Amino acid sequence: AQKVTQAQTEISVVEKEDVTLDCVYETRDTTYYLFWYKQPPSGELVFLIRRNSFDEQNEISGRYSWNFQKSTSSFNFTITASQVVDSAVYFCALLGFTSGTYKYIFGTGTRLKVLA
Amino acid sequence: GAVVSQHPSWVICKSGTSVKIECRSLDFQATTMFWYRQFPKQSLMLMATSNEGSKATYEQGVEKDKFLINHASLTLSTLTVTSAHPEDSSFYICSARDRRGHNEQFFGPGTRLTVL
């Protein structure tokens, strides 16, 4: 079975604090992809990053960074010096092969509130 | 590139009526499109997989006679919610997979359906 767990339902931080959103996944596939999406109040999913299962290199993009560790099946997301505009729901997702096609499995999301 | 549009972006209808939502891939051809439903403060749940020129594959628990899916061309899939009821009120998101074989899906902006 494939599963994505985001144990943090809601996180509140004060602006400029660093915050890490956790994501743990389960899959038996050897080839899979991991994603993070941001969903602001408008509802549209905003793509943040994609990682394939063979690339464990961590990535940094501005204030965002991602830590992919296959040993612990985790793909955590850190926002440095958070800003109010970062307030949104963040989804971690696994793209794996299920029932003859590639399908997304989404986590339950983490609602981030950044307070001014 | 890889833009997916949805129309309408929001719709309000009376109970018992049918509502059609369109999903278009604007700059690529999509042999496969996916329909998701997202209830407030919940994650995205896959409803069905739509393949161009063939019947859609529905996830367990999704009524195929209530949620009619048509994928008549490589750039258009439609979801019709038949005899809508208030409990069908939700945010419906489609995604499309590029025909060129990439497994990643590109998401539309979503359609917010409210049934009175």
Side-chain angles (χ1 to χ4, degrees):
Chain A
Q2 307 199 64
K3 187 179 177 182
V4 175
T5 300
Q6 293 180 254
Q8 304 149 309
T9 306
E10 187 168 314
I11 301 175
S12 291
V13 298
V14 177
E15 208 170 18
K16 297 184 183 177
E17 283 185 5
D18 299 347
V19 59
T20 295
L21 310 182
D22 298 333
C23 174
V24 175
Y25 63 93
E26 294 176 30
T27 181
R28 292 181 183 173
D29 293 348
T30 53
T31 301
Y32 54 89
Y33 302 85
L34 296 166
F35 297 81
W36 275 96
Y37 290 90
K38 175 181 180 180
Q39 189 178 44
S42 65
E44 183 166 0
L45 287 177
V46 178
F47 167 81
L48 296 178
I49 190 171
R50 175 185 68 186
R51 261 285 172 269
N52 73 52
S53 51
F54 301 108
D55 182 3
E56 283 193 75
Q57 220 172 9
N58 291 330
E59 181 155 337
I60 298 175
S61 176
R63 296 184 297 108
Y64 296 167
S65 62
W66 292 269
N67 185 316
F68 177 26
Q69 294 200 355
K70 288 179 76 172
S71 60
T72 55
S73 297
S74 65
F75 187 42
N76 297 337
F77 171 32
T78 298
I79 301 175
T80 303
S82 59
Q83 300 176 0
V84 173
V85 292
D86 295 327
S87 298
V89 180
Y90 291 85
F91 289 99
C92 179
L94 166 71
L95 182 62
F97 197 74
T98 304
S99 302
T101 189
Y102 275 89
K103 293 183 180 179
Y104 275 83
I105 307 295
F106 282 87
T108 49
T110 297
R111 183 176 298 275
L112 175 64
K113 293 184 178 179
V114 182
L115 308 172
Chain B
V3 178
V4 176
S5 71
Q6 281 184 241
H7 178 79
S9 54
W10 60 269
V11 56
I12 301 173
C13 70
K14 292 183 179 179
S15 188
T17 61
S18 294
V19 175
K20 180 186 284 188
I21 303 170
E22 292 185 349
C23 176
R24 292 181 185 273
S25 56
L26 297 185
D27 51 2
F28 66 99
Q29 294 183 322
T31 51
T32 307
M33 290 183 170
F34 302 82
W35 287 96
Y36 296 82
R37 180 168 53 183
Q38 184 182 27
F39 291 111
K41 298 193 176 182
Q42 294 188 25
S43 188
L44 284 76
M45 297 301 296
L46 179 65
M47 298 174 66
T49 302
S50 165
N51 293 299
E52 187 263 337
S54 64
K55 290 183 179 180
T57 304
Y58 291 81
E59 296 298 302
Q60 198 170 10
V62 178
E63 300 173 57
K64 61 179 69 175
D65 294 330
K66 180 165 187 62
F67 298 100
L68 301 179
I69 292 172
N70 183 282
H71 192 160
S73 78
L74 287 172
T75 59
L76 173 64
S77 175
T78 59
L79 167 68
T80 301
V81 183
T82 62
S83 187
H85 288 98
E87 56 265 30
D88 298 323
S89 298
S90 187
F91 192 57
Y92 292 87
I93 303 174
C94 75
S95 69
R97 188 164 70 205
D98 193 322
R99 181 189 189 190
R100 288 169 290 184
H102 304 149
N103 294 316
E104 184 177 347
Q105 298 169 28
F106 301 96
F107 289 86
T111 297
R112 196 166 301 280
L113 170 64
T114 302
V115 185
L116 302 176

